[in-house]
Amino acid sequence: MIQFKTGLVALLFLISSTVLSQSLSGDNYATAKASGNGTVTFTYVETPGFVYKDESGKLTGVCVDIMNDFLQYVRQNHGINLNARFLGNGSSFSAMYNGVKNGKNGVFGLGNITVTEARKSEILFSPSFITNFAILVTHSSVPTLASMSEVPQKFKGFTAYTAKGTLNEKRINKLKSNYYPELEISYVSSSPDVLDKILADKKSLSYLDLAFYLSAVKERKPLKRHKVGDEGSEEFAFVMPKTSDWQPIIEEFFNANGGYKNTTEYKKILVDHLGLSAVKLLDSASE
């Protein structure tokens, strides 16, 4: 069995604050295969555990390590030495998403990117790399919901914070429509901003992806999970522009040798960046 180990290949990681409104591009597979070398572009949204900066300022996380293994697989099995460059500052989901959607060829998007049918009309997806679920959160001082029917009473006068263009925005709109039509919605630019608002405003609510919730709990932030509001499991994946010819190659990587997600290397990556308790919670989302 091929071993997917990180750190075996010298990868060129160039981190830039390039504005993502500019067209991103990278080498497509056919070009890289013909020459035996190439460069791919990674754009990303910072997500606790998945894509984040370590103490030295270097990008790391589940997504980064998996893509390192993917580049190693391409070298070993396709004879292509790939360099990877990171572009963008990681602060905005929409900037990352639009950077991929408007990009060309060898561009990959990394982060908490949910697979949806609507997005499939705009971008290409890799196989899922993890299962996620969204959590309804408030400040810890708010009484716990026993059922969603209590939303109009216990969340009366609350403001819902969310970021545009995300599935969590859709969840907030659904909560408003189904349970509390008077709910005020305020938009911020990112999930970290959502979390900051919830922690600062004791009369607020939102949906957070599990990774952000776990990070806040780990840091002992005053955040409360309302389990009755948990939204069902969804799949996170890497994304590529419609012009990319890398999709079959990354599918091959995930499917090789009994499946990448069954390897000890993959499971170690999850534990290293998310912790064992987080992995158990994530596993429960797929049951």
Side-chain angles (χ1 to χ4, degrees), residues 133-137 145 148 171 174-175 206-208 210 213 224-233 281 284-285:
F133 63 100
I135 293 175
L136 179 62
V137 296
L145 286 179
M148 292 299 288
R171 293 185 176 101
K174 177 182 173 184
L175 183 150
S206 191
Y207 274 100
L208 284 177
L210 185 58
Y213 169 75
K224 176 172 285 188
R225 173 189 181 187
H226 299 270
K227 291 185 180 180
V228 295
D230 287 355
E231 285 283 334
S233 61
L281 274 175
S284 72

Side-chain angles (χ1 to χ4, degrees), residues 26-40 74 78-83 105-106 245-246 249:
D27 292 328
N28 61 27
Y29 170 75
T31 300
K33 180 65 175 177
S35 66
N37 295 280
T39 298
V40 291
V74 170
H78 293 264
I80 305 171
N81 290 310
L82 285 177
N83 288 325
N105 304 321
D245 61 356
W246 283 102
I249 310 305

Side-chain angles (χ1 to χ4, degrees), residues 245-262:
D245 61 356
W246 283 102
Q247 188 182 43
I249 310 305
I250 200 166
E251 288 178 350
E252 177 188 307
F253 162 70
F254 273 97
N255 293 330
N257 304 295
Y260 177 71
K261 291 196 293 184
N262 294 322

Side-chain angles (χ1 to χ4, degrees), residues 66-191:
I66 291 175
M67 292 308 285
N68 282 347
D69 284 356
F70 171 63
L71 298 183
Q72 167 74 350
Y73 176 88
V74 170
R75 188 190 72 82
Q76 290 182 336
N77 293 274
H78 293 264
I80 305 171
N81 290 310
L82 285 177
N83 288 325
R85 59 187 174 190
F86 281 90
L87 296 180
N89 62 18
S91 64
S92 168
F93 180 93
S94 59
M96 175 279 301
Y97 184 88
N98 289 329
V100 173
K101 184 175 72 171
N102 300 321
K104 297 179 180 179
N105 304 321
V107 175
F108 295 84
L110 283 61
N112 56 329
I113 311 165
T114 304
V115 179
T116 71
E117 291 303 314
R119 288 173 179 171
K120 287 180 180 179
S121 67
E122 299 180 326
I123 55 176
L124 301 176
F125 285 93
S126 74
S128 164
F129 68 82
I130 204 166
T131 300
N132 170 69
F133 63 100
I135 293 175
L136 179 62
V137 296
T138 64
H139 190 276
S140 60
S141 62
V142 176
T144 303
L145 286 179
S147 72
M148 292 299 288
S149 64
E150 294 181 346
V151 166
Q153 292 77 41
K154 290 189 175 178
F155 292 167
K156 184 177 181 179
F158 276 40
T159 298
Y161 294 99
T162 191
K164 277 190 175 294
T166 64
L167 284 187
N168 287 335
E169 178 195 10
K170 292 183 178 180
R171 293 185 176 101
I172 289 297
N173 285 323
K174 177 182 173 184
L175 183 150
K176 176 183 172 78
S177 176
N178 292 346
Y179 300 104
Y180 191 13
E182 293 80 20
L183 179 67
E184 180 181 344
I185 300 176
S186 180
Y187 290 97
V188 296
S189 63
S190 66
S191 292

